[in-house]
């Protein structure tokens, strides 16, 4: 069927599953796998932590299905003996690790709590197939692309990379009824036109340019409603929906086209959660609700109006805006200007770079500092790994963010200092 112009819910959002409070209570002590924070862990560490959870005694089977461009193993994990095949793949983008952490927690639940009714239901009704760490070379660098510079999630058509070929071959072999494309998104996204930060985004990817809805896509929307239902009590107003413009290169779009009801889950951000450990728990609970609704068949008939009622991902707010100061750089005239900074790791505010300098009045940012009647001075910026070498002292777009805010033009009465990374214990008094 074609996509309707408007689809509003005609029934209340379902309640969270009966097991939700119990599992949430078990999470910290009995489910959360230790050793995976900070979230920039190398792929070898993840497998070192996860492998003891994946034994045959716990009903897991692990096999190598290929190698990355740099020769790292690509592994397929199987659990369950039910009739519904489900494929979950994570970290196609090497710097998006939240789902990979949550999969380790899921493995612990499945292996260590075999008699729990939820686990028994999953084992009897589904066969779960996991392809964790699709992009281990990117994960080793904590970068989006693989070692060849390929965005694997845009390689579903060309299959130029070995990682994409492994995922396509696995999909062809399994013919999964459901698929989960597991990602992170920038924490600057707002929910619709609001100022609320998006914690989780969902998408039932389209299979054609018309964004039509057939039975395959409708099932994915129903599953997304079940995810929303379990997350809504904690994240109301912070759940959004990705834009569903069709991309003929993207895995989620093509797996839907190939007949797999695919759900994209994106972890955004929660302020005060720099390593995404709280968001990891929400992600785990959302995945578990999705798998349970598939195993029980309870997704059938859920009101997909609740999927369309989610606001779309809106504007992306930059990370840090210093407003109203006077920029002072040796050898250049001083000027009154705002300074915009983005970070490589926005939630922990590490790896800052100058994005823009000038009149930025009216711009919104995730965090702002009022530097009115104060001075923004450039500092020498040490080169990473070469502590005795410094870059040119400047405050210009594209350069590393090394600066201080002071009350005097000479820089004696210093209020706040930034040398690439924010010191969380040193907050400027003018922050708001």
């Amino acid at each position: 069927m074609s996509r309707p112009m408007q689809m509003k819910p005609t029934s209340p959002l379902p309640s969270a599953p009966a097991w939700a409070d119990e599992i949430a209570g078990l999470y910290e002590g009995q489910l959360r796998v230790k050793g995976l924070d900070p979230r920039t862990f190398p792929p070898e560490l993840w497998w070192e932590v996860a492998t003891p959870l994946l034994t045959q005694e716990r009903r897991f089977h692990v096999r190598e299905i290929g190698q990355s461009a740099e020769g790292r193993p690509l592994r397929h994990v199987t659990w369950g003996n039910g009739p519904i095949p489900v494929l979950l793949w994570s970290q196609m983008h090497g710097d998006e690790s939240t789902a990979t952490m949550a999969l380790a927690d899921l493995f612990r639940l499945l292996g260590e709590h075999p008699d729990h009714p939820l686990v028994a239901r999953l084992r009897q009704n589904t066969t779960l197939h996991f392809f964790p760490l699709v992009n281990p070379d990117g994960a080793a660098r904590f970068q989006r692309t693989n070692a060849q510079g390929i965005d694997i999630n845009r390689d579903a058509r060309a299959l130029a990379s070995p990682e994409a070929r492994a995922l396509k071959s696995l999909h062809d072999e399994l013919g999964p009824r459901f698929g989960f494309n597991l990602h992170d998104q920038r924490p600057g996204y707002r929910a619709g036109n609001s100022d609320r930060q998006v914690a989780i985004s969902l998408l039932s990817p389209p299979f054609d340019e018309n964004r039509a809805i057939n039975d395959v896509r409708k099932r994915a929307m129903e599953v997304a409603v079940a995810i929303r239902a379990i997350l809504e009590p904690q994240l109301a107003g912070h759940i959004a929906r990705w834009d569903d413009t069709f991309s003929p290169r993207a895995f989620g779009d093509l797996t839907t086209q190939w007949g797999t009801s695919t759900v994209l889950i994106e972890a955004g951000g929660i302020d005060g959660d720099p390593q995404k450990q709280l968001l990891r728990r929400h992600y785990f609970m959302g995945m578990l609700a999705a798998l349970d609704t598939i195993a029980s068949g309870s997704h059938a008939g859920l009101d997909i109006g609740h999927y369309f009622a989610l606001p779309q991902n809106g504007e992306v707010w930059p990370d840090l805006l210093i407003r109203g100061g006077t920029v002072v750089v040796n050898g250049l005239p001083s000027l009154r200007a705002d300074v915009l900074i983005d970070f490589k790791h926005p939630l922990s505010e590490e790896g800052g770079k100058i994005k823009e300098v000038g009149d930025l009045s009216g711009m919104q940012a995730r965090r702002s500092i009022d530097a009115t009647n104060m001075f923004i001075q450039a500092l020498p910026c040490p080169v990473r790994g070469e502590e005795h070498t410094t870059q040119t002292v400047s405050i210009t777009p594209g350069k590393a963010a090394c600066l201080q805010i002071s009350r005097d033009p000479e820089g004696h009465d210093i209020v706040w200092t930034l040398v690439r990374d924010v010191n969380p214990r040193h907050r400027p008094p003018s922050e708001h």
Side-chain angles (χ1 to χ4, degrees):
M1 62 179 174
S2 298
R3 176 183 177 181
M5 294 300 294
Q6 298 290 335
M7 182 172 288
K8 297 180 179 180
T10 59
S11 60
L13 183 69
S15 300
W19 48 260
D21 289 342
E22 177 195 4
I23 296 294
L26 293 175
Y27 182 79
E28 282 300 328
Q30 298 186 43
L31 300 177
R32 182 179 179 274
V33 176
K34 296 181 180 180
L36 297 177
D37 55 304
R39 64 190 184 91
T40 55
F41 51 84
E44 292 80 9
L45 174 62
W46 188 87
W47 282 109
E48 179 182 326
V49 170
T51 297
L53 306 172
L54 300 174
T55 64
Q56 291 186 356
E57 291 76 16
R58 297 183 180 198
R59 306 187 185 192
F60 288 98
H61 176 71
V62 183
R63 66 183 177 115
E64 187 170 317
I65 57 172
Q67 292 187 338
S68 70
E70 291 185 326
R72 290 183 171 90
L74 306 175
R75 297 184 176 106
H76 167 216
V77 178
T78 307
W79 179 91
N81 50 25
I84 305 173
V86 183
L87 175 61
L88 305 91
W89 63 96
S90 76
Q91 219 162 338
M92 305 181 78
H93 296 142
D95 57 353
E96 299 179 5
S97 61
T98 305
T100 307
M101 293 187 287
L103 286 180
D105 304 333
L106 181 58
F107 294 158
R108 189 174 178 191
L109 170 67
L110 299 177
E112 295 184 7
H113 300 266
D115 297 327
H116 192 285
L118 168 59
V119 175
R121 183 161 55 248
L122 293 175
R123 184 173 59 249
Q124 293 164 8
N125 296 331
T126 67
T127 299
L128 302 182
H129 300 273
F130 304 92
F131 186 177
L133 278 162
V134 174
N135 182 7
D137 298 347
R141 299 166 173 82
F142 210 70
Q143 69 179 26
R144 180 179 177 90
T145 59
N146 78 343
Q148 301 163 302
I150 297 291
D151 182 337
I152 298 172
N153 199 33
R154 298 295 182 269
D155 195 25
R157 181 175 60 188
L159 300 176
S161 64
E163 299 90 349
R165 291 194 294 272
L167 178 55
K168 177 61 164 61
S169 295
L170 184 62
H171 181 276
D172 290 349
E173 174 190 339
L174 301 176
R177 183 170 176 82
F178 291 90
F180 290 87
N181 191 7
L182 307 174
H183 287 265
D184 288 62
Q185 67 178 28
R186 294 167 64 183
Y189 274 109
R190 302 296 104 178
N193 295 321
S194 76
D195 61 357
R196 295 187 301 273
Q197 184 177 32
V198 175
I200 293 287
S201 285
L202 304 170
L203 177 67
S204 164
F207 59 87
D208 65 4
E209 292 182 354
N210 295 324
R211 299 178 291 175
I213 302 173
N214 60 3
D215 289 342
V216 172
R217 194 173 180 214
K218 182 172 183 289
R219 284 193 297 268
M221 292 177 182
E222 293 169 342
V223 172
V225 171
I227 297 173
R228 180 183 179 184
I230 197 171
L231 297 181
E232 190 81 10
Q234 290 79 34
L235 297 178
H238 297 273
I239 309 172
R241 178 168 49 90
W242 257 104
D243 173 68
D244 63 351
T245 300
F246 176 69
S247 171
R249 302 179 298 140
F251 262 98
D253 301 56
L254 291 191
T255 52
T256 303
Q257 191 178 86
W258 300 333
T260 298
S261 296
T262 304
V263 179
L264 171 74
I265 308 177
E266 299 262 3
I270 297 173
D271 286 333
D273 183 29
Q275 300 302 330
K276 294 196 174 185
Q277 298 303 305
L278 175 57
L279 195 49
R280 165 185 175 178
R281 177 169 65 84
H282 291 308
Y283 208 114
F284 165 81
M285 295 294 287
M287 284 197 304
L288 196 54
L291 296 175
D292 187 37
T293 200
I294 291 169
S296 66
S298 61
H299 65 86
L302 289 181
D303 186 348
I304 63 174
H306 291 293
Y307 168 79
F308 285 107
L310 288 169
Q312 280 198 328
N313 273 341
E315 184 180 0
V316 179
W317 283 10
D319 296 326
L320 175 62
L321 179 59
I322 304 175
R323 301 182 185 273
T326 297
V327 176
V328 179
V329 179
N330 289 340
L332 295 174
S334 61
L335 74 156
R336 188 277 177 221
D338 307 314
V339 178
L340 189 64
I341 298 167
D342 269 343
F343 294 94
K344 181 178 181 180
H345 303 290
L347 291 171
S348 56
E349 295 184 317
E350 297 175 298
K353 281 191 174 183
I354 306 296
K355 183 175 183 181
E356 192 170 350
V357 178
D359 179 6
L360 305 178
S361 56
M363 178 174 288
Q364 299 289 343
R366 295 179 52 242
R367 190 159 76 89
S368 296
I369 296 173
D370 185 358
T372 302
N373 299 323
M374 290 187 276
F375 298 86
I376 307 169
Q377 286 126 352
L379 295 175
C381 208
V383 176
R384 298 282 194 189
E386 302 176 30
E387 58 186 30
H388 300 299
T389 305
T390 59
Q391 294 180 341
T392 303
V393 178
S394 67
I395 299 177
T396 52
K399 298 294 186 180
C402 296
L403 54 85
Q404 66 184 20
I405 301 174
S406 67
R407 293 188 177 92
D408 64 299
E410 294 78 24
H412 300 310
D413 188 2
I414 299 171
V415 174
W416 186 70
T417 300
L418 169 65
V419 181
R420 283 198 180 92
D421 305 339
V422 170
N423 182 346
R425 294 180 294 276
H426 183 199
R427 312 303 290 191
S430 57
E431 180 186 355
H432 62 85

